Amino acid sequence: MDFGRLMTAMVTPFDAGLNIDFQKVDALVEHLIATGTTTIVVAGTTGESPTLSHDEKLALFQHVVEKVAGRVKVVAGTGSNNTADSVQFSQEAEALGVDGLLLVAPYYNKPSQEGLYQHFKTIAESVKIPCILYNIPGRTSINVEASTQLRLAQIPNIVATKESSGDFSQIIDILSGAPEGFYVYSGDDFLTLPMMSIGAYGIVSVAAHVVGEEMTAMINAFVEGNLAEAVRLNIELTPVFKGLFLTTNPTLVKAALSTQGIEVGGVRLPLVAADESLIEEVKKRLKKVKDKA
């Protein structure tokens, strides 16, 4: 399955009491579709998955699937560090009609590479829909090595990987050994163009919440062979890419959405609101990009 080149890891909108606000979810989904998102990832890290309950996640999956109504793909974040729980959760998400699953590497318990392989294999083989690996050593404390990802790529419904290792040697090894139809996505906005230049297919983005049209233009320019334009746009966008991570994600992207009239509320503890100075810095960087558009 082709999830497109601009997947967005959607924030989870909250009301004043920090409960999920489904009206705000509707508005955000429409905004993402209108600005170029090809797949919405629900309940990933950017969606504050660690502080969403099991039932809240299922309600989100169902709601977004119904709201999207086939216009773009919907991927559910169902991975965890408990294989049995991930299997059950993935099956529940599949039953709700999601198009695919995002499976993060097991965090905290630090399995071996064989343990990682068996974990992902077990989950993928418990469902029929496509699965995307998610390697983010900075958050999980474990790296899913290229050799392990390539073993997993042989499983028919493991169709892609979201690579957030930042290790270009590893990424090249994956790209050079991957079977046809296995896609590598950047997990970092600022590495979108560099990774596409060595063969990655696209990005699972945070910044697309606020610069989706500009990112679409950059990706299209690269795909169409207009490298100079892609480089120009990447240079313009990089301050925004980096600005959104001046403090823990998704604090600043939620604040940035608010400045564009898309209200998504605050963040749940243990995350806290960003300092006003950081919000102003992001607003300044966004304005510079929008003024050039």
Side-chain angles (χ1 to χ4, degrees), residues 66-162:
E66 291 174 357
K67 180 63 180 175
V68 163
R71 289 176 291 167
V72 298
K73 301 292 194 299
V74 178
V75 167
T78 58
S80 73
N81 63 347
N82 182 324
T83 309
D85 279 358
S86 295
V87 165
Q88 178 183 340
F89 192 30
S90 296
Q91 292 171 340
E92 290 172 327
E94 180 181 35
L96 293 174
V98 300
D99 298 292
L101 306 174
L102 182 69
L103 306 176
V104 70
Y107 36 87
Y108 193 74
N109 38 16
K110 300 183 76 170
S112 66
Q113 293 300 306
E114 181 62 24
L116 289 169
Y117 174 77
Q118 295 296 338
H119 170 82
F120 287 119
K121 177 176 181 286
T122 299
I123 301 169
E125 290 182 344
S126 76
V127 295
K128 294 183 174 65
I129 55 177
C131 298
I132 302 169
L133 309 174
Y134 181 14
N135 184 38
I136 182 165
R139 283 185 179 265
T140 64
S141 82
I142 193 76
N143 178 46
V144 187
E145 295 173 2
S147 58
T148 303
Q149 295 196 47
L150 291 174
R151 284 180 71 195
L152 289 162
Q154 301 303 316
I155 296 170
N157 66 326
I158 296 182
V159 300
T161 183
K162 177 186 177 185

Side-chain angles (χ1 to χ4, degrees), residues 3-199:
F3 291 102
R5 296 186 186 271
L6 184 60
M7 302 173 67
T8 301
M10 188 183 78
V11 302
T12 300
F14 296 134
D15 61 20
L18 296 180
N19 300 302
I20 297 174
D21 188 320
F22 288 99
Q23 283 190 315
K24 291 176 180 174
V25 171
D26 289 348
L28 179 57
V29 165
E30 294 300 333
H31 166 73
L32 293 177
I33 294 173
T35 53
T37 290
T38 57
T39 292
I40 296 174
V41 179
V42 184
T45 313
T46 302
E48 296 177 72
S49 57
T51 54
L52 294 177
S53 72
H54 181 94
D55 288 346
E56 283 179 320
K57 291 175 186 177
L58 290 176
L60 260 179
F61 299 157
Q62 182 171 16
H63 189 89
V64 174
V65 165
E66 291 174 357
K67 180 63 180 175
V68 163
R71 289 176 291 167
V72 298
K73 301 292 194 299
V74 178
V75 167
T78 58
S80 73
N81 63 347
N82 182 324
T83 309
D85 279 358
S86 295
V87 165
Q88 178 183 340
F89 192 30
S90 296
Q91 292 171 340
E92 290 172 327
E94 180 181 35
L96 293 174
V98 300
D99 298 292
L101 306 174
L102 182 69
L103 306 176
V104 70
Y107 36 87
Y108 193 74
N109 38 16
K110 300 183 76 170
S112 66
Q113 293 300 306
E114 181 62 24
L116 289 169
Y117 174 77
Q118 295 296 338
H119 170 82
F120 287 119
K121 177 176 181 286
T122 299
I123 301 169
E125 290 182 344
S126 76
V127 295
K128 294 183 174 65
I129 55 177
C131 298
I132 302 169
L133 309 174
Y134 181 14
N135 184 38
I136 182 165
R139 283 185 179 265
T140 64
S141 82
I142 193 76
N143 178 46
V144 187
E145 295 173 2
S147 58
T148 303
Q149 295 196 47
L150 291 174
R151 284 180 71 195
L152 289 162
Q154 301 303 316
I155 296 170
N157 66 326
I158 296 182
V159 300
T161 183
K162 177 186 177 185
E163 250 295 322
S164 298
S165 67
D167 182 344
F168 271 66
S169 177
Q170 172 164 297
I171 293 162
I172 290 169
D173 286 344
I174 296 168
L175 287 162
S176 63
E180 185 176 355
F182 183 82
Y183 295 124
V184 175
Y185 286 86
S186 173
D188 299 289
D189 286 301
F190 74 98
L191 292 181
T192 305
L193 186 60
M195 280 185 58
M196 290 188 73
S197 76
I198 61 170

Side-chain angles (χ1 to χ4, degrees), residues 268-287:
R268 287 179 174 177
L269 287 169
L271 301 183
V272 294
D275 292 342
E276 193 60 38
S277 61
L278 294 180
I279 296 172
E280 287 302 315
E281 177 62 26
V282 170
K283 286 171 64 176
K284 182 175 72 175
R285 296 184 189 195
L286 267 173
K287 185 176 185 302

